[in-house]
Every structure is written in structure tokens, then in C-alpha cells.
Amino acid sequence: MDALSMGGYGAYVWTCYALGAGVLVVCEWRARLRHRRVYREIEVRIKALGDNQ
């Protein structure tokens, strides 16, 4: 249990780890959403070019 408490700073350290992990998860999630949206936009543009020819 002493290893988790880290000399009294455990709450701060583990909170920082949790917040850091949360930021990474949110960044990954937003990047995937943006990728999906851009991919769909590209598909629509390609289809529109094909319809014009």
C-alpha cells in the first residue's frame, strides 16, 4: 500500500496519470471522428466527379 500512496503524494500522482490518460483517449476519439468525416467528404467529392463525366 505504501507504493500506491507514494509518500503522501499518491492522490496527486494518480490523478495526474488519470487526467493524462483521459486526454489521450479524448484526442484519439476526436482524431477518429475527424478522419471519418474527412473520408466521407472525399468519397462524396469523388462520386460527384464521377457523376459529372
Side-chain angles (χ1 to χ4, degrees):
M1 208 56 177
D2 285 336
L4 293 177
S5 70
M6 296 186 177
Y9 297 104
Y12 170 75
V13 171
W14 294 114
T15 301
C16 289
Y17 275 122
L19 287 173
V23 168
L24 289 174
V25 167
V26 169
C27 287
E28 177 69 20
W29 174 66
R30 291 192 60 192
R32 287 178 186 259
L33 287 177
R34 175 134 173 89
H35 178 269
R36 193 176 309 143
R37 185 176 33 217
V38 169
Y39 190 81
R40 285 186 193 142
E41 184 179 320
I42 290 171
E43 284 181 329
V44 167
R45 288 182 181 192
I46 289 173
K47 184 173 180 179
L49 286 174
D51 291 343
N52 287 338
Q53 292 177 356

